[in-house]
Amino acid sequence: MGSVAEVDLTRLRVEYGDTTALAGVDLSVRDGEFFTLVGPSGCGKTTTLRCVAGFEEPTGGRVTVGGEPMAGVPPEARGVGVVFQNYALFPHMTVGENVAYGLKFADPPGGVGRDERVADLLDLVDMAGFEGRDPGTLSGGQRQRVALARALAPGPRLLLLDEPMSALDARLRERLRVQVREIQQELSITTVYVTHDQEEALAVSDRVAVMNDGRVEQVGAPRDVYDAPATRFVAEFLGDNNVLTGEVRASTAEGCTLDVRGHALRVPPCDAAVGDRLTVCVRPEDLRVGGGGENRLTVAVGSAEFLGDTTRLHCEWEGTPVTVRADRDPTGTVTVGFDPADVHVIG
Ligand code: ATP
């Protein structure tokens, strides 16, 4: 521990026969960062993580950790701790023995004894006193905390987490993700986290990489990626969004006017020229039922989902689905309004 552990992936490619799992991934994870790979099933998240861990030899490109090339370095010599989706605890060993197994290839850091190290880690993951328990008697969340303690036991410079919470129920997942984040911050350990759950990614990460079809679409802080998606895919993958495409009718330093299905929409200034096609998006929470704002759409309300703190309205505008967040659920036809400043231009 204490060593610098930034991770650099350069033009990483992985092919399985005719399947291209990674089509040239470039990423830099900073030392001490909680970095999340998020994207739909099959987009290459796990393959990326396996290349960093050393379980997968890339077909092309390279992985460096702390500036050291990892080609040919076996997993146990990389200084990484890994936690997988399914609880990989040994059923015939106690909780304490499982954590101690993490020290099979390495002495405990800081010159402490094995028993002390095991006790410290169980304390860290809030499982003190469970040393003698059989993993079969633990809840799913407890087992994943033991798996985390085992991964951390040798003091890795890098923690890799592959959907560690996906088998848990929603409430427990929320609790555990907060705990994992706190532990990560306490240890300042560089962490690469894989999830398909966009809400989870936004909630815990310093930065996220949104992946699609073996490529990285965008990297950034959660709020930046949410507010300013670089591509239509990112706009639609992270949270609800309304994506509209139109033709530029006017473009000045004050803003652009777009023709979308015969309606004029004002959007922020951008470097598009008159006649260009432009794709923009506006979040459901920025649409106001009743029509406040420079832009107005008359939408037909289809269905409403009551979400507790808000209601999600599924509407239709000129044959295009439009999602609106509202504090009531109107029926029939309503006007929704929004300001040009709340529109994000994708390009
Ligand atoms: P999920 O969220 O479903 O786990 P993922 O984003 O982690 O998905 P990967 O597991 O990295 O995706 O898989 C990327 C692509 O590579 C997929 O098309 C998958 O079918 C393919 N793939 C992964 N492992 C193999 C393998 N051993 N042999 C053949 N194809 C594979």
Side-chain angles (χ1 to χ4, degrees):
M1 285 255 243
S3 56
V4 174
E6 77 271 357
V7 180
D8 284 295
L9 310 182
T10 313
R11 292 188 295 280
L12 203 62
R13 285 189 72 81
V14 172
E15 280 149 24
Y16 301 108
D18 289 345
T19 307
T20 301
L22 298 183
V25 165
D26 289 290
L27 279 179
S28 290
V29 180
R30 299 173 190 144
D31 186 42
E33 185 171 46
F34 195 116
F35 190 93
T36 299
L37 305 175
V38 65
S41 181
C43 70
K45 308 178 294 291
T46 296
T47 305
T48 305
L49 203 74
R50 287 173 57 82
C51 288
V52 177
F55 302 137
E56 191 79 57
E57 230 5 91
T59 321
R62 61 186 205 137
V63 176
T64 65
V65 177
E68 280 172 62
M70 288 292 114
V73 179
E76 64 277 10
R78 292 191 178 200
V80 299
V82 189
V83 180
F84 295 106
Q85 175 168 355
N86 42 6
Y87 330 110
L89 298 182
F90 299 112
H92 56 282
M93 292 183 186
T94 63
V95 163
E97 287 163 353
N98 265 283
V99 177
Y101 187 85
L103 299 167
K104 189 162 186 258
F105 298 108
D107 288 330
V112 298
R114 281 171 183 256
D115 291 350
E116 193 185 338
R117 179 71 181 158
V118 169
D120 284 351
L121 282 158
L122 286 175
D123 197 31
L124 180 74
V125 300
D126 207 14
M127 291 289 288
F130 282 73
E131 280 87 340
R133 286 279 285 273
D134 170 352
T137 67
L138 302 180
S139 71
Q142 289 172 331
R143 277 184 239 175
Q144 283 306 64
R145 273 146 55 201
V146 175
L148 180 61
R150 185 178 62 186
L152 292 170
R157 54 183 172 166
L158 188 60
L159 181 61
L160 306 177
L161 305 170
D162 189 357
E163 304 251 12
M165 318 199 192
S166 61
L168 309 177
D169 69 58
R171 184 56 59 136
L172 193 55
R173 250 188 356 241
E174 280 176 28
R175 266 218 320 268
L176 192 58
R177 79 188 184 203
V178 172
Q179 252 180 333
V180 168
R181 174 63 163 154
E182 283 170 0
I183 291 168
Q184 184 270 335
Q185 286 183 319
E186 192 174 330
L187 302 177
S188 299
I189 184 169
T190 310
T191 299
V192 184
Y193 184 76
V194 161
T195 181
H196 63 273
D197 181 335
Q198 40 98 9
E199 184 193 300
E200 199 161 276
L202 296 177
V204 295
S205 318
D206 290 314
R207 289 191 305 151
V208 300
V210 182
M211 295 185 69
N212 179 28
D213 209 12
R215 293 172 203 281
V216 174
E217 294 257 335
Q218 188 172 5
V219 178
R223 188 170 293 280
D224 295 342
V225 178
Y226 185 85
D227 286 343
T231 64
R232 183 181 187 122
F233 175 83
V234 175
E236 291 180 326
F237 183 76
L238 288 182
D240 289 337
N241 219 337
N242 296 298
V243 179
L244 300 168
T245 298
E247 197 176 305
V248 178
R249 287 281 182 252
S251 180
T252 70
E254 280 71 53
C256 288
T257 305
L258 271 192
D259 178 330
V260 183
R261 298 172 186 274
H263 297 264
L265 281 191
R266 295 283 296 159
V267 308
C270 58
D271 56 11
V274 171
D276 284 353
R277 299 285 296 168
L278 206 61
T279 300
V280 301
C281 58
V282 56
R283 293 282 178 190
E285 58 268 29
D286 293 324
L287 299 180
R288 285 184 289 273
V289 176
E294 200 180 333
N295 293 310
R296 306 242 165 126
L297 311 178
T298 304
V299 303
V301 180
S303 59
E305 282 176 272
F306 177 58
L307 303 176
D309 53 346
T310 169
T311 299
R312 183 194 279 137
L313 304 178
H314 298 280
C315 309
E316 194 184 302
W317 176 71
E318 303 283 347
T320 303
V322 168
T323 308
V324 182
R325 288 295 177 112
D327 51 12
R328 56 204 163 93
D329 44 350
T331 51
T333 300
V334 295
T335 302
V336 294
F338 56 101
D339 292 319
D342 289 327
V343 178
H344 170 69
V345 176
I346 297 173

